[in-house]
Amino acid sequence: MTATVIDGKAFAAKVRGQVADHVARLKEAHGVTPGLAVVLVGEDPASQVYVRSKGKMTVEVGMKSVEHRLDADTSEADLLAVVKSLNEDPEIHGILVQLPLPGHLNEDLVINSIDPAKDVDGFHISNVGLLGTGQKSMVPCTPLGCLMMLRDHHGSLSGLNAVVIGRSNIVGKPMAQLLLGDSCTVTIAHSRTKDIQDVVRGADVVVAAVGRPEMVTGEWIKPGATVIDVGINRIDAPEKGEGKTRLVGDCHYDSCAEVAGAITPVPGGVGPMTIACLLANTVTACCRANGLAEPEGLTA
């Protein structure tokens, strides 16, 4: 068996197109432009790349893009003041504070200072609680992207056995909640799960988000299962030359693809969906703030 490749890059482009269409309708029918503000503290290279990409794509879909770049030694009080100003700005519907923050800043305090209705990352404790109790919330972008791809591939997820490998607050736990919401039977596996291979082997859907390069092999996968690989790991690639590296997921792609029914590649799978869902969440937040119908297919 050769797995169907779930093309996250193409799917993300489709989602961005849907977002752009909805933004255009909001402007034309209601005179409203969704606004996304990104706050970056310090000069972490990876964070700078992410922020540039987010800003570029925000503008491309017709939304207002605002960036606040703060020095690495910015005080907690000054950062909280920036967040407060964005909370109070009616033209800003989504606020994202880029993580990680410098060590002297309390990430939980900062995230929970964001207005939950503008928390397009879905990390605020109020949104975590709403999601966990099945109520309307802002949903973390990466799990939302995974859910969109799974729904697109399967249609209905009802009754499927799903295993989420990883228990992080950013991916593992919210992913499990979303799958429960779509009536899957869900198991969360992690580093201390006994006989983890056997646990995973019983799954119709596997979401790997554990942060260990190529941990999941084809021997773990039930024939025909759908594999969503959230992992992005950089490993040495001596075949490309001295000092060269390459990106791999948490799954060993070649062996898993021989057994699975469908699989996301790394790169080009889940990654592109994260920013697309950030844009989708911003549109959703804008619609909710203005009492307008939410965009179909762009929310959980």
Side-chain angles (χ1 to χ4, degrees):
M1 177 183 294
T2 301
T4 298
V5 178
I6 300 176
D7 187 340
K9 188 175 181 180
F11 198 95
K14 175 184 173 184
V15 171
R16 292 196 304 274
Q18 292 174 297
V19 168
D21 290 344
H22 205 84
V23 169
R25 288 195 294 272
L26 286 172
K27 289 180 177 179
E28 182 177 353
H30 304 285
V32 175
T33 299
L36 173 63
V38 178
V39 181
L40 174 64
V41 185
E43 299 180 355
D44 178 78
S47 293
Q48 288 184 328
V49 171
Y50 293 147
V51 168
R52 278 197 299 271
S53 296
K54 290 167 184 172
K56 178 183 176 183
M57 292 185 186
T58 302
V59 172
E60 286 177 352
V61 298
M63 297 197 298
K64 177 179 179 178
S65 175
V66 174
E67 291 182 8
H68 288 269
R69 294 175 178 264
L70 307 177
D71 293 337
D73 60 357
T74 295
S75 71
E76 199 161 76
D78 286 345
L79 175 55
L80 292 174
V82 171
V83 173
K84 183 175 184 293
S85 70
L86 294 172
N87 284 339
E88 296 171 350
D89 187 342
E91 294 187 357
I92 297 299
H93 305 95
I95 302 170
L96 181 151
V97 177
Q98 183 66 47
L99 302 179
L101 291 173
H104 69 285
L105 299 173
N106 184 327
E107 289 189 354
D108 289 338
L109 176 66
V110 173
I111 295 304
N112 288 322
S113 72
I114 297 172
D115 180 347
K118 296 187 177 188
D119 168 39
V120 285
D121 256 342
F123 295 163
H124 191 288
I125 190 64
S126 294
N127 283 317
V128 173
L130 290 168
L131 178 61
T133 52
Q135 300 179 67
K136 184 181 291 187
S137 68
M138 297 307 302
V139 179
C141 302
T142 299
L144 178 58
C146 295
L147 182 70
M148 286 182 179
M149 291 191 288
L150 285 168
R151 285 174 172 171
D152 181 73
H153 180 72
H154 283 277
S156 172
L157 300 176
S158 180
L160 296 181
N161 288 320
V163 171
V164 179
I165 310 173
R167 51 181 169 177
S168 72
N169 293 330
I170 294 174
V171 180
K173 291 175 183 175
M175 187 76 248
Q177 296 291 351
L178 290 173
L179 290 167
L180 281 171
D182 270 30
S183 299
C184 289
T185 300
V186 182
T187 301
I188 299 180
H190 48 79
S191 60
R192 298 192 180 184
T193 299
K194 293 182 178 179
D195 302 319
I196 189 171
Q197 298 94 327
D198 294 334
V199 172
V200 175
R201 201 173 290 121
D204 303 304
V205 171
V206 178
V207 181
V210 71
R212 294 188 179 182
E214 299 181 326
M215 171 180 165
V216 180
T217 67
E219 295 176 350
W220 294 30
I221 303 301
K222 175 182 177 180
T226 301
V227 178
I228 305 293
D229 191 349
V230 182
I232 300 178
N233 310 286
R234 191 169 291 279
I235 64 171
D236 293 335
E239 72 278 4
K240 296 170 66 174
E242 186 176 352
K244 297 293 185 179
T245 61
R246 62 188 177 94
L247 290 177
V248 298
D250 290 349
C251 300
H252 185 273
Y253 183 83
D254 290 342
S255 64
C256 289
E258 290 179 0
V259 183
I263 190 170
T264 59
V266 177
V270 174
M273 286 297 294
T274 299
I275 294 181
C277 288
L278 173 68
L279 303 177
N281 276 350
T282 304
V283 172
T284 297
C286 177
C287 290
R288 290 177 181 173
N290 288 278
L292 302 172
E294 296 177 20
E296 293 185 13
L298 296 180
T299 60

